[in-house]
Amino acid sequence: MKKTLLSFALAVTIALGAFAQIQTPEQFLGYKPGDRFTPHHRMVDYFEHVAAQNPNIKLIQYGETNEKRPLIIAVLSSPENMAKLEQIRTDNLKRAGLVEGNPSTEIPINWMSFNVHGNESVGMEAAISSFYTLADPNNAKSQEWLKNQVVIIDPCINPDGRDRYSNWYNQKMNTTLQPDLQSQEHNEPWPGGRANHYLFDLNRDWAWQVQVESQQRLKVYQQWMPQLHLDFHEQGIDQPFYMAPAAEPLHEQLTPFQHEFQDIFGKNTAKYFDQMGRFYFTKERFDLLYPSYGDTYPMYNGAIGMTIEQGGGGRGGIGGYNSVGDTVTLSSRIAGHYTAAMSAAEVTSQNAKRLVDEFATYFKSNSSNPKGQYKSFVIKGGSNPAQVAKLLELLDKNGIKYGKAGSKSGLKGFEYQTGKSEVAFSTSDKDIVINAYQPKSVLAQVLFEPNPKLNDSITYDITSWAMPYAYGLQGYALESKLDASGEYEKPAFSPNQAGATPVAYLANWQGTRDAAFLAALLNQKIRVKYAEYSFVVEGKSFPAGSLIITKGGNEYVPDFDKKVTDTANKFGVILATTQTGYVDKGKDFGSPNIKVIKAPKVALIGGNGTSSLSFGEIWHFFEQELNFPIVNLDAQAMGNYDLSKYDVIILPSTFGSALNTNAQQKVTDWVKAGGKLIAIDAALNLFVNKEGFALKNFDTEEEKKAAEKAAADLSKQERLEPYTEGERLEIASGTAGAIYEIKMDETHPLGYGTGGKFYSLKNNSNRFSYLSGGANAGVIASNDAYRTGYIGYKIKSKMGESLAIGAERQGRGQIVYFVDNPIFRGFWESGKLVLSNAVFLVGQ
């Protein structure tokens, strides 16, 4: 019966003459599943149709995308379970310890997410077929499963990316199936449909919740806390099918049952694939370490998280040849995902009680006896109030509890900033403690762990992400429990009042909110200045980079005081005032060292040859965090643009020849005429070792020759290594999210607000010597600057005494170099201030 159900259920979903008033997908859409891609709005129409005919379905719109497409989930179960759905939901939260009380039901929640990557486009099609089978009251098997579970289907996490791909493909597809991968329909244009509107990879955003889709989805997810979460993807067309169990490295926090249930699911699904004669693989490529995936994030929240990967992807289209000449069709890809979804529903039903019992045990065990080395984490609240506030926002989004550390002395712990253990410290009421004795114990430990353990260095993503580094905060990790002395009260903000106009309003320059405050003032045409040197005025001290908003120069601004104070209140910025420009120490406000910040006209280069993800991070930062205008330019059309319109051009990470020779020369000429170019990550390769530029890999020819000889010697040794060790030899020259302490020059505008330190997340193996004749504003001073994360042995010893952030003059303009991406995935919060320094303060 199982073979019959899973082998032929897909055929049922596309058959004519469906039961009672519910139409099959084919009847409703007008074509067979797999014949073409369904637009997102038509999927929504179908879900609404089915829900309207079946009282055992609850359709919930939980949000909308940047492009105003609805985000929906469908909740399905038996009539008995739907009648007590709210009780089932709250009982689950009780098991997790998130609300008080004892559960009275034993119904697990099985959540299936489709199409997080837009051009992995089979996902939504499979969601439609899976939804129909589970909603069909005449399907005895699926209705039996629903007696033992609540199924939640999110049919399309990324509607904007999905429609970008499917609309393009439906326009380009041949009427007759054309599987030749050289055909236009199999080759997406930049940026492709994988990412969302702002070109973020939503499958890297679960924990960080930078994007609006993630924020809205995770809010709903936290209200249900499912026992099972399946994340449906596609991989390359030559890869058949991947399913759990996952590959190494597997995080040490995963429980034996989480491992076991992955195996239960894998074996059950494999049984049907074997019967169907389909190929698959397990325990390869897709690991469980990085905390912001659609499998790891649920795992660290007590669920069984599983990635499902069907072969096909964006190149697959309606059908395409794989490397052995077989045609991989959309209908066959639907069948693969559909089979996995039905298998998940089946094993959930068969293991319902154990799933809820193990879920309860997970939270009870971890909250009373945390598994990790570190049991408590302290953040020094006074280290950077602006960044502390941003970190607390993230903890609140993830339901992680924290409290007031209180006055305690004689403590010892791992100090993030120095990377040293057993460092003595004390706490005060300003400090924050996050201990692991709470419902979100595992997630808290994972987000703050100083050095995640790698049982295999071949990993799919970054290997370090500790929050104190990402937010640039002073913190400690303790191996013992540190109880909070009470509820942490966020510093009360007393709104700034508009009164008699002072000589100047003064503001600190510490974090993203201060950059957003500056951008808002500039948008209102308010003149703002910054101090090149620290100063003391009327007994109040301010570091270099502090903002000065003077009465002089703003006489023409209507309601000047109200606009300044209202804007500061909007961003939570505390303003100081002074009635004199005559300072106690430092430079007076009329000094040439008090610089006017000109509102820059900023352009961002995208298109072929640029990283769409890097482009999207900058685009999103400007539009959604700074709310500051930015013009998006196409790299392939640079020769046609009048660059004199722009003061700043940002070049995101590139590959190949993003700018041709003529375009590079045009940009260089623009810089020499007074422009400011900000080059990020691999974009530096356009300038390194080129005549006329200070950026070099080595200081001298001797250094270069020594490095080349060392590399050649290693190469000789590697020739004798087994062929199967090739991948490991390759990563020996790479990085996967290694964190380095960057020594910042606080006297240079790039170093303002950093306190002399910045922690960079290194995801490339590039190494550059100190600039000769330029500003080495941020450097890896020595190999001791390494803090955590994987970096290959071939390059780790060479990173000391190298450039991280710098600037060189070219004529009347400047080029700013960021060796690594300062705002990686939008969650590397401390880098946003440094990037803002480059945009607004450098070269003024």
Side-chain angles (χ1 to χ4, degrees), residues 118-140:
N119 60 0
E120 295 174 8
S121 45
V122 69
M124 198 180 81
E125 307 297 335
I128 293 171
S129 293
S130 300
F131 178 58
Y132 173 75
T133 295
L134 292 171
D136 180 0
N138 296 321
N139 189 312

Side-chain angles (χ1 to χ4, degrees), residues 502-505 527-529 548-555 560 589:
V503 167
Y505 293 98
R527 181 176 294 175
V528 184
K529 303 177 182 180
I548 303 171
I549 308 118
T550 57
K551 174 173 61 177
N554 284 303
E555 300 92 343
F560 167 69
F589 291 175

Side-chain angles (χ1 to χ4, degrees), residues 161-340:
R162 213 284 180 166
D163 266 6
R164 186 187 313 129
Y165 172 80
S166 62
N167 289 339
W168 168 83
Y169 187 88
N170 284 341
Q171 293 170 3
K172 300 297 182 182
M173 66 178 287
N174 288 289
T175 302
T176 302
L177 178 66
Q178 179 48 266
D180 185 343
L181 295 185
Q182 294 188 111
S183 183
Q184 188 178 33
E185 67 189 85
H186 296 292
N187 296 278
E188 288 179 85
W190 191 94
R194 177 183 177 89
N196 75 339
H197 172 81
Y198 281 109
L199 306 185
F200 268 67
D201 185 334
L202 294 180
N203 195 41
R204 300 330 191 249
D205 194 43
W206 280 73
W208 320 131
Q209 299 174 49
V210 173
Q211 294 299 291
V212 66
E213 293 93 342
S214 305
Q215 294 164 12
Q216 295 170 115
R217 182 178 72 259
L218 268 298
K219 186 176 181 180
V220 177
Y221 186 95
Q222 305 284 1
Q223 294 169 359
W224 290 88
M225 293 293 287
Q227 277 76 25
L228 192 69
H229 182 265
L230 273 73
D231 189 19
F232 289 87
H233 290 260
E234 284 191 89
Q235 55 191 336
I237 196 168
D238 291 329
Q239 308 302 319
F241 194 91
Y242 163 83
M243 57 193 170
E248 298 281 0
L250 302 168
H251 199 284
E252 63 178 351
Q253 288 281 359
L254 302 182
T255 68
F257 178 69
Q258 287 178 317
H259 289 295
E260 179 188 346
F261 196 86
Q262 283 209 336
D263 200 46
I264 290 171
F265 165 80
K267 287 180 178 178
N268 194 67
T269 309
K271 175 177 57 180
Y272 295 114
F273 272 59
D274 289 341
Q275 293 168 0
M276 299 160 69
R278 296 180 68 122
F279 298 110
Y280 53 87
F281 64 95
T282 64
K283 301 182 283 292
E284 294 183 68
R285 293 189 62 194
F286 304 101
D287 58 62
L288 293 171
L289 186 72
Y290 173 68
S292 208
Y293 282 140
D295 53 7
T296 50
Y297 186 86
M299 281 285 207
Y300 301 148
N301 279 275
I304 313 297
M306 294 187 288
T307 291
I308 310 297
E309 296 269 356
Q310 168 64 54
R315 296 205 75 192
I318 300 301
Y321 291 133
N322 63 17
S323 59
V324 297
D326 293 335
T327 302
V328 180
T329 65
L330 179 59
S331 59
S332 71
R333 288 151 56 198
I334 293 173
H337 270 346
Y338 172 88
T339 301

Side-chain angles (χ1 to χ4, degrees), residues 24 68 137 226 253 288 334 399 439 446 466 631 671 727 749 763 779 825:
T24 65
K68 305 303 179 184
Q253 288 281 359
L288 293 171
I334 293 173
V446 170
V631 176
V671 172
E727 186 174 6
N763 282 303
V779 300
R825 291 180 184 165

